[in-house]
Amino acid sequence: MPAPGENLRINPERLWNSIHEMAEIGPGVAGGNNRQTLTDDDARGRALFQKWCEAAGMSMGLDQMGTMFARREGTEPGLDPVYVGSHLDTQPTGGRYDGVLGVLGGLEVIRTLNDLGIRTRRPIVVTNWTNEEGTRFAPAMMASGVFAGVLALEDIYKHADKDGLTVGDELRRIGWMGEEKVGARKMHAYYELHIEQGPILEDEGIEIGVVTHGQGLKWLQVTLTGKESHTGSTPMPKRRNASLGMARVIELVHEVAMDYQPDAVGAVGHVQVYPNSRNIIVGKAVFTIDIRSPNKDVLDEMDARIRAGIETVAEGLDIGFEVEQVGHFDPVTFDKALVGNVRAAAEKLGYSHRDIVSGAGHDACWINRVAPSAMIMCPCVDGLSHNEAETISKEWAAAGTDVLFHAVLETAEIVG
Ligand code: HGY
Ligand code: MN
Ligand code: MN
């Protein structure tokens, strides 16, 4: 005879339908999404989420960073709530599930509690963090970083996109700047469900990732300054070529990351060259280095080696250089008790599972600084993400959300 709540499951069809209804907002060009933060599409996605939450009997809070907090009351409203959530903003060529699964999986938990008439001691809050991706406005995990007290609101409001539009202005323009002080809320615990965005779970045929740690990250924005001149008539020895410098630094980042295998990673995904004319030597190159490792010492060593290498490249090409750290968090160890709840839930529900370190950054990585946090991962096809072809199965989505449901029930405590 299963114990009370033993075999409770969420509604996979309802979850799947909501994910794909959300995916219709801010469509990409190849079946994925381009619902970048603080755009009109982001606003439409927020409005749809708010509508669904209110239909599920929840009240919506909104803080000064536009983060949304949908609350289902507990039988003891004075207790610190259990928070779940993730993000609805996407990459410019993003998938339908990155972030969205965690927000709508949280909503599905509430919808299932309503269906079953289950009350919990603690309130439960479903969260949509503003600008997790950091693609339009750096850094990533922006709102959760302000919430955790590691980023300053007034400074973040001034961060601009490539067109010079700022976070503060855009948040105001789309009408989603709340009054609530960022970080004022007290959380009893935070759970985040997310697709793995890597190949491990699928390769091993495993349904649930029990996330024990998150790897550390550094984003270094580099500006190389050479001299614009004619690509045809400027003799090679007289050139001060910033794009050649960028090419050498990109190769350097790869080589340094390869020195710390199997865990470290490094790449350059954002590049801008000026004046970007076919027959002018690039005078200025601006690009962002993304390096990551689960080991803090390795991350710091990679950072130091790359900075030294940039100086050598610049000297050799007679070009100027500036390096600005525009994103950073150290490797994260999630809360052992909550991680245990995730593992126990997968066990109880009969889902295959394994411990895993998150390769991607998540809002939970910051929230873990202010509240006990843990993550649940489901596989994604070919480990592909940050690509419009990102795909998961309904079964994987349901398994992850079932585990989220039972972990939340354990922490929020069923009443009656
Ligand atoms: O960059 C990251 O790891 C996250 O997907 N924003
Ligand atoms: Mn994400
Ligand atoms: Mn992402």
Side-chain angles (χ1 to χ4, degrees), residues 351-364:
Y351 290 125
S352 56
H353 60 88
R354 59 156 279 174
D355 288 4
I356 194 168
V357 174
S358 176
H362 301 286
D363 293 306

Side-chain angles (χ1 to χ4, degrees), residues 91 98 132-133 140-141 197 217 219 290 292 359-361 386:
Q91 289 283 335
D98 173 358
E132 186 282 339
E133 291 293 359
M141 288 74 83
Q197 300 182 292
L217 161 151
W219 282 1
D290 178 325
R292 309 194 191 198
H386 285 195

Side-chain angles (χ1 to χ4, degrees), residues 121-402:
R121 278 188 70 218
R122 293 183 179 279
I124 299 169
V125 177
V126 183
T127 310
N128 168 31
W129 296 104
T130 297
N131 189 26
E132 186 282 339
E133 291 293 359
T135 179
R136 183 182 175 197
F137 302 101
M141 288 74 83
M142 180 181 269
S144 50
V146 179
F147 189 94
V150 290
L151 299 173
L153 180 71
E154 290 314 319
D155 169 60
I156 287 295
Y157 274 166
K158 296 180 195 128
H159 284 216
D161 68 6
K162 61 181 172 28
D163 302 318
L165 300 172
T166 66
V167 168
D169 289 346
E170 284 294 273
L171 197 49
R172 230 171 261 110
R173 181 185 67 80
I174 65 168
W176 282 94
M177 181 185 278
E179 314 229 314
E180 180 185 310
K181 183 174 175 342
V182 183
R185 287 172 174 262
K186 292 290 163 270
M187 296 181 172
H188 177 66
Y190 176 74
Y191 287 104
E192 182 164 355
L193 167 63
H194 205 287
I195 63 172
E196 179 197 339
Q197 300 182 292
I200 297 169
L201 295 175
E202 188 192 35
D203 287 351
E204 296 181 8
I206 288 180
E207 296 160 302
I208 297 294
V210 180
V211 186
T212 56
H213 301 80
Q215 69 175 345
L217 161 151
K218 283 193 178 193
W219 282 1
L220 305 177
Q221 180 168 300
V222 181
T223 302
L224 299 180
T225 312
K227 185 173 180 186
E228 295 168 21
S229 59
H230 199 298
T231 50
S233 52
T234 308
M236 293 303 275
K238 290 193 174 300
R239 295 176 179 206
R240 295 174 58 215
N241 186 340
S243 65
L244 176 57
M246 179 171 72
R248 290 183 178 171
V249 171
I250 291 172
E251 174 70 22
L252 168 71
V253 169
H254 179 79
E255 283 165 5
V256 167
M258 292 311 287
D259 284 351
Y260 299 93
Q261 290 308 298
D263 299 324
V265 291
V268 170
H270 153 252
V271 295
Q272 288 167 314
V273 293
Y274 304 90
N276 201 22
S277 164
R278 290 179 183 76
N279 44 9
I280 297 180
I281 298 289
V282 168
K284 185 167 88 167
V286 182
F287 54 101
T288 305
I289 295 167
D290 178 325
I291 49 174
R292 309 194 191 198
S293 168
N295 177 314
K296 182 178 180 325
D297 295 341
V298 166
L299 191 59
D300 292 343
E301 207 171 289
M302 290 167 73
D303 180 354
R305 284 184 57 188
I306 287 168
R307 287 172 186 268
I310 291 167
E311 186 164 356
T312 307
V313 166
E315 271 166 17
L317 294 173
D318 187 19
I319 57 179
F321 71 96
E322 277 170 57
V323 181
E324 182 193 355
Q325 183 169 285
V326 294
H328 169 232
F329 59 83
D330 287 335
V332 168
T333 301
F334 289 116
D335 179 82
K336 286 199 175 17
L338 296 192
V339 170
N341 290 345
V342 170
R343 199 177 289 116
E347 205 71 57
K348 177 168 78 170
L349 292 160
Y351 290 125
S352 56
H353 60 88
R354 59 156 279 174
D355 288 4
I356 194 168
V357 174
S358 176
H362 301 286
D363 293 306
C365 297
W366 280 139
I367 300 307
N368 191 54
R369 295 168 77 108
V370 292
S373 301
M375 291 190 73
I376 302 153
M377 282 187 172
C378 78
C380 47
V381 173
D382 298 336
L384 188 65
S385 183
H386 285 195
N387 182 309
E388 291 208 44
E390 176 188 279
T391 308
I392 66 173
S393 72
K394 187 193 315 184
E395 292 68 29
W396 287 341
T401 309
D402 279 337

